[in-house]
Amino acid sequence: MLTGALARKGYDWWWHSFTARHAKTGEEKAFFIEYFICNPALGGDAPVFCDPESAARGGRPTYGLVKVGCWGADARQLHRYCGTHSITIGSGSLDITMADCRLSETAMTGSVSVSSSERDAHPEWASDAGRLVWDLRIDKKLHYSVGAGAGSLARALNLFEMYWHAEGIRTDYSGWLELDGERYIVEPASCYGYADKNWGENFTSPWLWISSCDLVSKTSGKRLDNSALEIGGGKPRILGIPLPDRLLAYLAYEGRGYDFNFSKVWQGADVTFAFKEGADDNVWSVIARNRNAVMEVDLSCAKAEMQLMRYQAPDGTRLHKRLWNGGTGTGEIRLFARKAGTVEPIDTIAIGHVGCEYGEYQRSEQE
């Protein structure tokens, strides 16, 4: 997507998250793997970083980044950089290689290793220490298209600052990882996987994301194997003009889709949300309505299992100081049908292994 103006001031990333099990103990651990490209037209053989002083003078970073990590008691994020000239991108279908890290539509392999001494010597890497190696197959089962907001016209006119396409809201991963020498196995039935893509000129604030394909009906007791929840958005900017807080929400429910999307005006959709950072837990609440349905979502995630994600925007700024991100949230969905001015319950659904995120720019940094 990084053509035209976005080639010099833009980012493109492919995100994958899933749960694995320790090969010996069976203990669960949630992981993420992200392939990220920033300002490729400005790049060369080596990555270029940008500190606040350089950014204030108009400098910009340029690099390829493989960002990986895990959630839980030892949550961390590991960063491996390369110059954009060493990135190869295939034509047609997705096929990207950065150093020995490769991503296609159906597989991803690679490694990231950062020693404690490298971490301390290179604060510009914004990385923790550790080593992750992976070899995984990818099978995307369900997707969510946000519609015109990421359509060809919006892309051609470069309308939005941040675009999103959730091509794998239910994704089966299989294979293995090694975290600091400990092997983890990834299997489709227990991975609760997710894949999406973001690109644009800048990030959004507020920034909210909720995703789960671990759904169990509390009404019937059955696991919903053809279902997934997806919520995302914040405060979109169209041609630099901010809109009021806008979220997109979607529930794939056993073959039927419940879509709450402000860009699909015929739906009459309205989505409101609240987030609270607590002493021990972070809490999200979302209410989504359209002409035919109402969906209420409540979830929480232990802060001890989350981490504050570190991203640099293409303009060199790092405005998201408290972008909470986790992969072990739990909660509930309450789904209702709207009929003749009344609402009738359809199902109450327990959700687990929830990917969850929230962050805002600090007001002083916005101004």
mmCIF file of all heavy atoms in Angstrom, residues 30 32 69-77 128 207 209-210 275-284 299-310 322-330 354-359:
data_model
loop_
_atom_site.group_PDB
_atom_site.id
_atom_site.type_symbol
_atom_site.label_atom_id
_atom_site.label_comp_id
_atom_site.label_asym_id
_atom_site.label_seq_id
_atom_site.Cartn_x
_atom_site.Cartn_y
_atom_site.Cartn_z
ATOM 1 N N ALA A 30 0.279 -16.786 24.983
ATOM 2 C CA ALA A 30 -0.196 -16.023 23.832
ATOM 3 C C ALA A 30 0.966 -15.244 23.220
ATOM 4 O O ALA A 30 1.741 -14.602 23.933
ATOM 5 C CB ALA A 30 -1.313 -15.068 24.252
ATOM 6 N N PHE A 32 2.488 -12.823 19.599
ATOM 7 C CA PHE A 32 2.183 -12.012 18.422
ATOM 8 C C PHE A 32 3.427 -11.915 17.551
ATOM 9 O O PHE A 32 4.565 -11.962 18.043
ATOM 10 C CB PHE A 32 1.674 -10.612 18.801
ATOM 11 C CG PHE A 32 2.671 -9.774 19.547
ATOM 12 C CD1 PHE A 32 3.586 -8.980 18.873
ATOM 13 C CD2 PHE A 32 2.695 -9.781 20.933
ATOM 14 C CE1 PHE A 32 4.507 -8.207 19.570
ATOM 15 C CE2 PHE A 32 3.606 -9.004 21.640
ATOM 16 C CZ PHE A 32 4.516 -8.216 20.960
ATOM 17 N N GLY A 69 6.607 -10.985 20.114
ATOM 18 C CA GLY A 69 6.582 -11.010 21.568
ATOM 19 C C GLY A 69 5.506 -11.913 22.110
ATOM 20 O O GLY A 69 4.895 -12.707 21.383
ATOM 21 N N CYS A 70 5.264 -11.768 23.398
ATOM 22 C CA CYS A 70 4.286 -12.612 24.075
ATOM 23 C C CYS A 70 3.626 -11.814 25.183
ATOM 24 O O CYS A 70 4.107 -10.753 25.591
ATOM 25 C CB CYS A 70 4.953 -13.862 24.655
ATOM 26 S SG CYS A 70 6.247 -13.514 25.884
ATOM 27 N N TRP A 71 2.497 -12.327 25.655
ATOM 28 C CA TRP A 71 1.798 -11.762 26.788
ATOM 29 C C TRP A 71 1.874 -12.744 27.955
ATOM 30 O O TRP A 71 2.243 -13.896 27.795
ATOM 31 C CB TRP A 71 0.343 -11.504 26.432
ATOM 32 C CG TRP A 71 0.152 -10.482 25.361
ATOM 33 C CD1 TRP A 71 0.388 -9.142 25.454
ATOM 34 C CD2 TRP A 71 -0.329 -10.697 24.028
ATOM 35 N NE1 TRP A 71 0.081 -8.507 24.281
ATOM 36 C CE2 TRP A 71 -0.363 -9.443 23.381
ATOM 37 C CE3 TRP A 71 -0.743 -11.824 23.313
ATOM 38 C CZ2 TRP A 71 -0.784 -9.290 22.060
ATOM 39 C CZ3 TRP A 71 -1.172 -11.674 21.995
ATOM 40 C CH2 TRP A 71 -1.182 -10.421 21.389
ATOM 41 N N GLY A 72 1.525 -12.263 29.119
ATOM 42 C CA GLY A 72 1.577 -13.105 30.310
ATOM 43 C C GLY A 72 2.518 -12.506 31.336
ATOM 44 O O GLY A 72 2.889 -11.324 31.276
ATOM 45 N N ALA A 73 2.924 -13.336 32.287
ATOM 46 C CA ALA A 73 3.769 -12.858 33.385
ATOM 47 C C ALA A 73 5.106 -12.318 32.879
ATOM 48 O O ALA A 73 5.693 -11.428 33.501
ATOM 49 C CB ALA A 73 4.000 -13.986 34.384
ATOM 50 N N ASP A 74 5.606 -12.840 31.745
ATOM 51 C CA ASP A 74 6.874 -12.370 31.188
ATOM 52 C C ASP A 74 6.640 -11.645 29.861
ATOM 53 O O ASP A 74 7.420 -11.778 28.920
ATOM 54 C CB ASP A 74 7.843 -13.536 31.000
ATOM 55 C CG ASP A 74 7.300 -14.597 30.050
ATOM 56 O OD1 ASP A 74 6.086 -14.569 29.774
ATOM 57 O OD2 ASP A 74 8.087 -15.440 29.586
ATOM 58 N N ALA A 75 5.560 -10.863 29.773
ATOM 59 C CA ALA A 75 5.223 -10.139 28.543
ATOM 60 C C ALA A 75 6.403 -9.308 28.070
ATOM 61 O O ALA A 75 7.085 -8.653 28.867
ATOM 62 C CB ALA A 75 4.003 -9.259 28.778
ATOM 63 N N ARG A 76 6.633 -9.332 26.776
ATOM 64 C CA ARG A 76 7.733 -8.548 26.209
ATOM 65 C C ARG A 76 7.507 -8.352 24.720
ATOM 66 O O ARG A 76 6.681 -9.018 24.106
ATOM 67 C CB ARG A 76 9.061 -9.249 26.459
ATOM 68 C CG ARG A 76 9.228 -10.514 25.643
ATOM 69 C CD ARG A 76 10.476 -11.261 26.003
ATOM 70 N NE ARG A 76 10.205 -12.294 26.970
ATOM 71 C CZ ARG A 76 11.094 -13.211 27.312
ATOM 72 N NH1 ARG A 76 12.302 -13.173 26.795
ATOM 73 N NH2 ARG A 76 10.777 -14.146 28.173
ATOM 74 N N GLN A 77 8.283 -7.420 24.153
ATOM 75 C CA GLN A 77 8.280 -7.192 22.711
ATOM 76 C C GLN A 77 9.717 -7.071 22.243
ATOM 77 O O GLN A 77 10.535 -6.364 22.846
ATOM 78 C CB GLN A 77 7.453 -5.954 22.353
ATOM 79 C CG GLN A 77 7.797 -4.700 23.115
ATOM 80 C CD GLN A 77 6.702 -3.654 23.020
ATOM 81 O OE1 GLN A 77 6.405 -3.146 21.943
ATOM 82 N NE2 GLN A 77 6.100 -3.331 24.156
ATOM 83 N N ASP A 128 12.793 -5.092 24.148
ATOM 84 C CA ASP A 128 13.185 -5.888 25.302
ATOM 85 C C ASP A 128 14.224 -6.909 24.854
ATOM 86 O O ASP A 128 14.603 -6.955 23.673
ATOM 87 C CB ASP A 128 11.961 -6.592 25.894
ATOM 88 C CG ASP A 128 10.909 -5.608 26.376
ATOM 89 O OD1 ASP A 128 11.296 -4.583 26.968
ATOM 90 O OD2 ASP A 128 9.716 -5.856 26.156
ATOM 91 N N TRP A 207 -7.218 4.671 20.356
ATOM 92 C CA TRP A 207 -6.940 3.489 19.546
ATOM 93 C C TRP A 207 -7.498 2.295 20.309
ATOM 94 O O TRP A 207 -7.033 1.970 21.397
ATOM 95 C CB TRP A 207 -5.434 3.376 19.360
ATOM 96 C CG TRP A 207 -4.924 2.216 18.559
ATOM 97 C CD1 TRP A 207 -5.564 1.075 18.219
ATOM 98 C CD2 TRP A 207 -3.608 2.121 18.008
ATOM 99 N NE1 TRP A 207 -4.739 0.262 17.487
ATOM 100 C CE2 TRP A 207 -3.525 0.877 17.342
ATOM 101 C CE3 TRP A 207 -2.488 2.963 18.025
ATOM 102 C CZ2 TRP A 207 -2.363 0.459 16.706
ATOM 103 C CZ3 TRP A 207 -1.336 2.539 17.388
ATOM 104 C CH2 TRP A 207 -1.283 1.303 16.729
ATOM 105 N N TRP A 209 -8.978 -1.824 20.059
ATOM 106 C CA TRP A 209 -9.086 -3.083 19.312
ATOM 107 C C TRP A 209 -9.527 -4.187 20.270
ATOM 108 O O TRP A 209 -9.013 -4.294 21.381
ATOM 109 C CB TRP A 209 -7.741 -3.445 18.682
ATOM 110 C CG TRP A 209 -7.664 -4.844 18.136
ATOM 111 C CD1 TRP A 209 -8.391 -5.366 17.117
ATOM 112 C CD2 TRP A 209 -6.790 -5.893 18.585
ATOM 113 N NE1 TRP A 209 -8.029 -6.678 16.884
ATOM 114 C CE2 TRP A 209 -7.044 -7.028 17.783
ATOM 115 C CE3 TRP A 209 -5.810 -5.974 19.583
ATOM 116 C CZ2 TRP A 209 -6.362 -8.231 17.946
ATOM 117 C CZ3 TRP A 209 -5.131 -7.175 19.750
ATOM 118 C CH2 TRP A 209 -5.412 -8.286 18.935
ATOM 119 N N ILE A 210 -10.497 -4.983 19.834
ATOM 120 C CA ILE A 210 -10.989 -6.142 20.588
ATOM 121 C C ILE A 210 -11.224 -7.261 19.574
ATOM 122 O O ILE A 210 -11.868 -7.040 18.540
ATOM 123 C CB ILE A 210 -12.308 -5.833 21.327
ATOM 124 C CG1 ILE A 210 -12.097 -4.753 22.390
ATOM 125 C CG2 ILE A 210 -12.882 -7.098 21.955
ATOM 126 C CD1 ILE A 210 -13.412 -4.221 22.978
ATOM 127 N N PHE A 275 -13.588 2.808 28.333
ATOM 128 C CA PHE A 275 -12.395 2.081 28.777
ATOM 129 C C PHE A 275 -11.970 2.620 30.131
ATOM 130 O O PHE A 275 -11.981 3.831 30.354
ATOM 131 C CB PHE A 275 -11.242 2.257 27.780
ATOM 132 C CG PHE A 275 -9.929 1.706 28.280
ATOM 133 C CD1 PHE A 275 -9.656 0.348 28.201
ATOM 134 C CD2 PHE A 275 -8.972 2.554 28.847
ATOM 135 C CE1 PHE A 275 -8.448 -0.162 28.665
ATOM 136 C CE2 PHE A 275 -7.763 2.053 29.315
ATOM 137 C CZ PHE A 275 -7.504 0.688 29.225
ATOM 138 N N LYS A 276 -11.595 1.716 31.026
ATOM 139 C CA LYS A 276 -11.128 2.123 32.337
ATOM 140 C C LYS A 276 -9.854 1.366 32.674
ATOM 141 O O LYS A 276 -9.824 0.135 32.646
ATOM 142 C CB LYS A 276 -12.184 1.839 33.421
ATOM 143 C CG LYS A 276 -11.744 2.255 34.819
ATOM 144 C CD LYS A 276 -12.827 1.980 35.857
ATOM 145 C CE LYS A 276 -12.372 2.410 37.246
ATOM 146 N NZ LYS A 276 -13.420 2.112 38.267
ATOM 147 N N GLU A 277 -8.822 2.134 32.962
ATOM 148 C CA GLU A 277 -7.574 1.535 33.439
ATOM 149 C C GLU A 277 -7.640 1.413 34.953
ATOM 150 O O GLU A 277 -7.700 2.422 35.664
ATOM 151 C CB GLU A 277 -6.371 2.374 33.027
ATOM 152 C CG GLU A 277 -5.048 1.786 33.508
ATOM 153 C CD GLU A 277 -3.838 2.600 33.102
ATOM 154 O OE1 GLU A 277 -3.927 3.390 32.135
ATOM 155 O OE2 GLU A 277 -2.783 2.448 33.766
ATOM 156 N N GLY A 278 -7.689 0.191 35.441
ATOM 157 C CA GLY A 278 -7.781 -0.041 36.874
ATOM 158 C C GLY A 278 -6.440 -0.322 37.500
ATOM 159 O O GLY A 278 -5.400 -0.345 36.834
ATOM 160 N N ALA A 279 -6.446 -0.551 38.802
ATOM 161 C CA ALA A 279 -5.207 -0.862 39.503
ATOM 162 C C ALA A 279 -4.655 -2.216 39.086
ATOM 163 O O ALA A 279 -3.441 -2.386 38.915
ATOM 164 C CB ALA A 279 -5.446 -0.839 41.013
ATOM 165 N N ASP A 280 -5.534 -3.193 38.875
ATOM 166 C CA ASP A 280 -5.114 -4.555 38.532
ATOM 167 C C ASP A 280 -5.599 -5.010 37.161
ATOM 168 O O ASP A 280 -4.969 -5.873 36.548
ATOM 169 C CB ASP A 280 -5.631 -5.540 39.586
ATOM 170 C CG ASP A 280 -5.106 -5.244 40.975
ATOM 171 O OD1 ASP A 280 -3.884 -5.007 41.096
ATOM 172 O OD2 ASP A 280 -5.916 -5.224 41.923
ATOM 173 N N ASP A 281 -6.723 -4.465 36.692
ATOM 174 C CA ASP A 281 -7.321 -4.900 35.426
ATOM 175 C C ASP A 281 -7.691 -3.703 34.570
ATOM 176 O O ASP A 281 -8.058 -2.640 35.092
ATOM 177 C CB ASP A 281 -8.580 -5.735 35.677
ATOM 178 C CG ASP A 281 -8.315 -6.974 36.500
ATOM 179 O OD1 ASP A 281 -7.699 -7.912 35.979
ATOM 180 O OD2 ASP A 281 -8.723 -6.991 37.689
ATOM 181 N N ASN A 282 -7.600 -3.892 33.265
ATOM 182 C CA ASN A 282 -8.161 -2.939 32.318
ATOM 183 C C ASN A 282 -9.516 -3.463 31.850
ATOM 184 O O ASN A 282 -9.691 -4.668 31.660
ATOM 185 C CB ASN A 282 -7.232 -2.737 31.130
ATOM 186 C CG ASN A 282 -5.989 -1.943 31.504
ATOM 187 O OD1 ASN A 282 -6.012 -1.150 32.440
ATOM 188 N ND2 ASN A 282 -4.904 -2.166 30.783
ATOM 189 N N VAL A 283 -10.478 -2.544 31.664
ATOM 190 C CA VAL A 283 -11.860 -2.943 31.394
ATOM 191 C C VAL A 283 -12.388 -2.177 30.185
ATOM 192 O O VAL A 283 -12.229 -0.959 30.090
ATOM 193 C CB VAL A 283 -12.756 -2.671 32.620
ATOM 194 C CG1 VAL A 283 -14.202 -3.048 32.323
ATOM 195 C CG2 VAL A 283 -12.246 -3.441 33.841
ATOM 196 N N TRP A 284 -13.028 -2.903 29.260
ATOM 197 C CA TRP A 284 -13.655 -2.343 28.071
ATOM 198 C C TRP A 284 -15.158 -2.615 28.109
ATOM 199 O O TRP A 284 -15.585 -3.703 28.520
ATOM 200 C CB TRP A 284 -13.110 -2.975 26.797
ATOM 201 C CG TRP A 284 -11.684 -2.723 26.444
ATOM 202 C CD1 TRP A 284 -11.203 -1.923 25.458
ATOM 203 C CD2 TRP A 284 -10.529 -3.328 27.039
ATOM 204 N NE1 TRP A 284 -9.841 -1.982 25.399
ATOM 205 C CE2 TRP A 284 -9.393 -2.842 26.365
ATOM 206 C CE3 TRP A 284 -10.343 -4.236 28.085
ATOM 207 C CZ2 TRP A 284 -8.101 -3.232 26.694
ATOM 208 C CZ3 TRP A 284 -9.060 -4.630 28.427
ATOM 209 C CH2 TRP A 284 -7.956 -4.122 27.733
ATOM 210 N N LEU A 299 -15.497 -6.768 28.729
ATOM 211 C CA LEU A 299 -14.341 -7.636 28.906
ATOM 212 C C LEU A 299 -13.316 -6.958 29.798
ATOM 213 O O LEU A 299 -13.339 -5.737 29.996
ATOM 214 C CB LEU A 299 -13.719 -8.016 27.564
ATOM 215 C CG LEU A 299 -12.925 -6.943 26.811
ATOM 216 C CD1 LEU A 299 -11.435 -7.069 27.095
ATOM 217 C CD2 LEU A 299 -13.175 -7.024 25.333
ATOM 218 N N SER A 300 -12.427 -7.789 30.329
ATOM 219 C CA SER A 300 -11.332 -7.283 31.154
ATOM 220 C C SER A 300 -10.086 -8.101 30.871
ATOM 221 O O SER A 300 -10.156 -9.234 30.371
ATOM 222 C CB SER A 300 -11.685 -7.352 32.640
ATOM 223 O OG SER A 300 -11.824 -8.698 33.053
ATOM 224 N N CYS A 301 -8.946 -7.515 31.197
ATOM 225 C CA CYS A 301 -7.668 -8.210 31.045
ATOM 226 C C CYS A 301 -6.746 -7.756 32.163
ATOM 227 O O CYS A 301 -6.662 -6.552 32.470
ATOM 228 C CB CYS A 301 -7.037 -7.906 29.688
ATOM 229 S SG CYS A 301 -5.632 -8.970 29.263
ATOM 230 N N ALA A 302 -6.084 -8.707 32.796
ATOM 231 C CA ALA A 302 -5.167 -8.389 33.890
ATOM 232 C C ALA A 302 -3.993 -7.568 33.365
ATOM 233 O O ALA A 302 -3.334 -7.948 32.389
ATOM 234 C CB ALA A 302 -4.674 -9.673 34.535
ATOM 235 N N LYS A 303 -3.712 -6.442 34.011
ATOM 236 C CA LYS A 303 -2.615 -5.587 33.571
ATOM 237 C C LYS A 303 -1.276 -6.303 33.662
ATOM 238 O O LYS A 303 -0.371 -6.038 32.858
ATOM 239 C CB LYS A 303 -2.589 -4.306 34.403
ATOM 240 C CG LYS A 303 -3.777 -3.402 34.144
ATOM 241 C CD LYS A 303 -3.789 -2.189 35.056
ATOM 242 C CE LYS A 303 -2.695 -1.216 34.726
ATOM 243 N NZ LYS A 303 -2.799 0.026 35.531
ATOM 244 N N ALA A 304 -1.147 -7.229 34.609
ATOM 245 C CA ALA A 304 0.111 -7.963 34.772
ATOM 246 C C ALA A 304 0.417 -8.837 33.565
ATOM 247 O O ALA A 304 1.570 -9.244 33.369
ATOM 248 C CB ALA A 304 0.053 -8.827 36.030
ATOM 249 N N GLU A 305 -0.615 -9.135 32.743
ATOM 250 C CA GLU A 305 -0.409 -9.968 31.565
ATOM 251 C C GLU A 305 -0.344 -9.150 30.278
ATOM 252 O O GLU A 305 -0.161 -9.708 29.194
ATOM 253 C CB GLU A 305 -1.532 -11.002 31.457
ATOM 254 C CG GLU A 305 -1.563 -11.971 32.630
ATOM 255 C CD GLU A 305 -2.593 -13.064 32.461
ATOM 256 O OE1 GLU A 305 -3.398 -12.985 31.503
ATOM 257 O OE2 GLU A 305 -2.587 -13.995 33.282
ATOM 258 N N MET A 306 -0.484 -7.835 30.388
ATOM 259 C CA MET A 306 -0.461 -6.950 29.224
ATOM 260 C C MET A 306 0.879 -6.229 29.135
ATOM 261 O O MET A 306 1.751 -6.385 29.992
ATOM 262 C CB MET A 306 -1.601 -5.935 29.307
ATOM 263 C CG MET A 306 -2.984 -6.548 29.431
ATOM 264 S SD MET A 306 -4.308 -5.311 29.440
ATOM 265 C CE MET A 306 -4.289 -4.801 27.712
ATOM 266 N N GLN A 307 1.030 -5.431 28.092
ATOM 267 C CA GLN A 307 2.213 -4.585 27.986
ATOM 268 C C GLN A 307 1.862 -3.314 27.233
ATOM 269 O O GLN A 307 0.827 -3.234 26.562
ATOM 270 C CB GLN A 307 3.351 -5.313 27.294
ATOM 271 C CG GLN A 307 3.059 -5.850 25.913
ATOM 272 C CD GLN A 307 4.258 -6.588 25.352
ATOM 273 O OE1 GLN A 307 5.394 -6.138 25.448
ATOM 274 N NE2 GLN A 307 4.021 -7.752 24.784
ATOM 275 N N LEU A 308 2.724 -2.318 27.381
ATOM 276 C CA LEU A 308 2.570 -1.053 26.683
ATOM 277 C C LEU A 308 3.365 -1.134 25.386
ATOM 278 O O LEU A 308 4.593 -1.209 25.400
ATOM 279 C CB LEU A 308 3.061 0.103 27.556
ATOM 280 C CG LEU A 308 2.273 0.334 28.849
ATOM 281 C CD1 LEU A 308 2.975 1.350 29.743
ATOM 282 C CD2 LEU A 308 0.857 0.790 28.536
ATOM 283 N N MET A 309 2.636 -1.131 24.258
ATOM 284 C CA MET A 309 3.284 -1.306 22.962
ATOM 285 C C MET A 309 4.024 -0.041 22.561
ATOM 286 O O MET A 309 3.604 1.084 22.869
ATOM 287 C CB MET A 309 2.252 -1.670 21.901
ATOM 288 C CG MET A 309 1.540 -2.981 22.189
ATOM 289 S SD MET A 309 2.655 -4.414 22.187
ATOM 290 C CE MET A 309 2.598 -4.856 20.455
ATOM 291 N N ARG A 310 5.138 -0.240 21.856
ATOM 292 C CA ARG A 310 6.006 0.870 21.454
ATOM 293 C C ARG A 310 6.049 0.950 19.934
ATOM 294 O O ARG A 310 6.556 0.061 19.256
ATOM 295 C CB ARG A 310 7.406 0.643 22.033
ATOM 296 C CG ARG A 310 7.410 0.601 23.559
ATOM 297 C CD ARG A 310 8.807 0.540 24.127
ATOM 298 N NE ARG A 310 9.416 -0.774 24.005
ATOM 299 C CZ ARG A 310 9.300 -1.754 24.911
ATOM 300 N NH1 ARG A 310 8.548 -1.564 26.000
ATOM 301 N NH2 ARG A 310 9.906 -2.900 24.744
ATOM 302 N N ARG A 322 0.952 5.135 26.381
ATOM 303 C CA ARG A 322 0.234 4.132 27.180
ATOM 304 C C ARG A 322 -0.753 3.385 26.283
ATOM 305 O O ARG A 322 -1.970 3.452 26.469
ATOM 306 C CB ARG A 322 -0.481 4.767 28.373
ATOM 307 C CG ARG A 322 0.474 5.400 29.373
ATOM 308 C CD ARG A 322 -0.221 5.839 30.647
ATOM 309 N NE ARG A 322 -0.675 4.701 31.441
ATOM 310 C CZ ARG A 322 0.121 3.940 32.198
ATOM 311 N NH1 ARG A 322 1.419 4.157 32.225
ATOM 312 N NH2 ARG A 322 -0.383 2.949 32.905
ATOM 313 N N LEU A 323 -0.198 2.683 25.296
ATOM 314 C CA LEU A 323 -0.999 1.863 24.399
ATOM 315 C C LEU A 323 -1.022 0.447 24.972
ATOM 316 O O LEU A 323 -0.165 -0.379 24.687
ATOM 317 C CB LEU A 323 -0.402 1.876 22.994
ATOM 318 C CG LEU A 323 -1.145 1.064 21.923
ATOM 319 C CD1 LEU A 323 -2.575 1.553 21.760
ATOM 320 C CD2 LEU A 323 -0.394 1.116 20.598
ATOM 321 N N TRP A 324 -2.025 0.189 25.823
ATOM 322 C CA TRP A 324 -2.154 -1.115 26.465
ATOM 323 C C TRP A 324 -2.536 -2.164 25.435
ATOM 324 O O TRP A 324 -3.430 -1.959 24.616
ATOM 325 C CB TRP A 324 -3.216 -1.064 27.560
ATOM 326 C CG TRP A 324 -2.772 -0.401 28.814
ATOM 327 C CD1 TRP A 324 -3.121 0.839 29.268
ATOM 328 C CD2 TRP A 324 -1.885 -0.951 29.794
ATOM 329 N NE1 TRP A 324 -2.512 1.099 30.471
ATOM 330 C CE2 TRP A 324 -1.752 0.017 30.812
ATOM 331 C CE3 TRP A 324 -1.186 -2.162 29.910
ATOM 332 C CZ2 TRP A 324 -0.937 -0.197 31.933
ATOM 333 C CZ3 TRP A 324 -0.392 -2.373 31.019
ATOM 334 C CH2 TRP A 324 -0.276 -1.395 32.011
ATOM 335 N N ASN A 325 -1.868 -3.319 25.491
ATOM 336 C CA ASN A 325 -2.113 -4.382 24.526
ATOM 337 C C ASN A 325 -1.995 -5.728 25.227
ATOM 338 O O ASN A 325 -1.047 -5.975 25.969
ATOM 339 C CB ASN A 325 -1.080 -4.271 23.393
ATOM 340 C CG ASN A 325 -1.243 -5.334 22.334
ATOM 341 O OD1 ASN A 325 -0.856 -6.477 22.537
ATOM 342 N ND2 ASN A 325 -1.796 -4.949 21.191
ATOM 343 N N GLY A 326 -2.999 -6.597 25.008
ATOM 344 C CA GLY A 326 -3.001 -7.913 25.638
ATOM 345 C C GLY A 326 -3.618 -8.965 24.746
ATOM 346 O O GLY A 326 -4.270 -8.651 23.746
ATOM 347 N N GLY A 327 -3.435 -10.219 25.135
ATOM 348 C CA GLY A 327 -3.986 -11.324 24.368
ATOM 349 C C GLY A 327 -4.668 -12.368 25.211
ATOM 350 O O GLY A 327 -4.956 -13.467 24.722
ATOM 351 N N THR A 328 -4.966 -12.034 26.475
ATOM 352 C CA THR A 328 -5.541 -13.029 27.391
ATOM 353 C C THR A 328 -6.809 -12.511 28.063
ATOM 354 O O THR A 328 -7.150 -12.925 29.168
ATOM 355 C CB THR A 328 -4.514 -13.431 28.458
ATOM 356 O OG1 THR A 328 -4.136 -12.262 29.217
ATOM 357 C CG2 THR A 328 -3.275 -14.038 27.831
ATOM 358 N N GLY A 329 -7.524 -11.599 27.408
ATOM 359 C CA GLY A 329 -8.739 -11.041 27.990
ATOM 360 C C GLY A 329 -9.880 -12.049 28.034
ATOM 361 O O GLY A 329 -9.892 -13.055 27.317
ATOM 362 N N THR A 330 -10.837 -11.782 28.897
ATOM 363 C CA THR A 330 -12.044 -12.605 29.011
ATOM 364 C C THR A 330 -13.246 -11.675 29.141
ATOM 365 O O THR A 330 -13.131 -10.553 29.632
ATOM 366 C CB THR A 330 -12.002 -13.541 30.225
ATOM 367 O OG1 THR A 330 -11.861 -12.756 31.420
ATOM 368 C CG2 THR A 330 -10.845 -14.522 30.137
ATOM 369 N N VAL A 354 -8.959 -13.150 24.448
ATOM 370 C CA VAL A 354 -9.331 -11.932 23.721
ATOM 371 C C VAL A 354 -8.099 -11.065 23.478
ATOM 372 O O VAL A 354 -7.366 -10.724 24.409
ATOM 373 C CB VAL A 354 -10.386 -11.126 24.496
ATOM 374 C CG1 VAL A 354 -10.795 -9.890 23.690
ATOM 375 C CG2 VAL A 354 -11.604 -11.991 24.810
ATOM 376 N N GLY A 355 -7.878 -10.708 22.214
ATOM 377 C CA GLY A 355 -6.928 -9.659 21.901
ATOM 378 C C GLY A 355 -7.572 -8.324 22.229
ATOM 379 O O GLY A 355 -8.715 -8.059 21.832
ATOM 380 N N CYS A 356 -6.860 -7.484 22.980
ATOM 381 C CA CYS A 356 -7.476 -6.241 23.456
ATOM 382 C C CYS A 356 -6.424 -5.141 23.539
ATOM 383 O O CYS A 356 -5.288 -5.385 23.939
ATOM 384 C CB CYS A 356 -8.152 -6.455 24.810
ATOM 385 S SG CYS A 356 -7.197 -7.407 26.008
ATOM 386 N N GLU A 357 -6.841 -3.939 23.168
ATOM 387 C CA GLU A 357 -5.893 -2.827 23.088
ATOM 388 C C GLU A 357 -6.625 -1.519 23.341
ATOM 389 O O GLU A 357 -7.781 -1.351 22.960
ATOM 390 C CB GLU A 357 -5.260 -2.823 21.698
ATOM 391 C CG GLU A 357 -4.094 -1.889 21.525
ATOM 392 C CD GLU A 357 -3.338 -2.208 20.238
ATOM 393 O OE1 GLU A 357 -3.988 -2.506 19.209
ATOM 394 O OE2 GLU A 357 -2.101 -2.165 20.260
ATOM 395 N N TYR A 358 -5.932 -0.586 23.978
ATOM 396 C CA TYR A 358 -6.468 0.762 24.126
ATOM 397 C C TYR A 358 -5.342 1.726 24.456
ATOM 398 O O TYR A 358 -4.462 1.439 25.277
ATOM 399 C CB TYR A 358 -7.526 0.872 25.226
ATOM 400 C CG TYR A 358 -8.215 2.219 25.191
ATOM 401 C CD1 TYR A 358 -9.250 2.452 24.293
ATOM 402 C CD2 TYR A 358 -7.788 3.258 25.993
ATOM 403 C CE1 TYR A 358 -9.852 3.697 24.204
ATOM 404 C CE2 TYR A 358 -8.384 4.507 25.918
ATOM 405 C CZ TYR A 358 -9.421 4.721 25.017
ATOM 406 O OH TYR A 358 -10.009 5.965 24.924
ATOM 407 N N GLY A 359 -5.391 2.897 23.819
ATOM 408 C CA GLY A 359 -4.428 3.944 24.114
ATOM 409 C C GLY A 359 -4.879 5.277 23.577
ATOM 410 O O GLY A 359 -5.653 5.350 22.614
#
